[in-house]
Amino acid sequence: MVKEKWIYCPVCNNKTRIKIRKETVAENLPVFCPKCKIQSIIDIKPDFEIEVKTDIV
């Protein structure tokens, strides 16, 4: 059973520096990718459901 997962960049599919648990909930969370240097705004719902809102250059 997976208890934690990494959040991946929606642009380059590289691991970001954020790990989430199954019960994590967040709205308008800014996530920065260290590889492609792009910041994305995401929503996180329970059971690792992630929705990308925008990509900010």
Side-chain angles (χ1 to χ4, degrees):
M1 180 191 287
V2 177
K3 294 184 179 181
E4 295 179 332
K5 270 189 170 180
W6 288 100
I7 293 180
Y8 288 88
C9 174
V11 177
C12 69
N13 208 24
N14 191 43
K15 264 197 275 188
T16 62
R17 295 182 178 136
I18 299 177
K19 225 181 202 186
I20 60 172
R21 292 185 177 189
K22 187 176 179 177
E23 64 274 357
T24 302
V25 176
E27 284 187 23
N28 299 322
L29 179 70
V31 177
F32 180 75
C33 176
K35 184 177 180 184
C36 68
K37 310 283 192 255
I38 292 179
Q39 181 179 353
S40 301
I41 305 295
I42 63 171
D43 285 347
I44 303 171
K45 298 175 183 166
D47 294 328
F48 303 115
E49 189 178 325
I50 298 173
E51 177 187 339
V52 179
K53 287 187 159 185
T54 59
D55 296 329
I56 301 170
V57 179

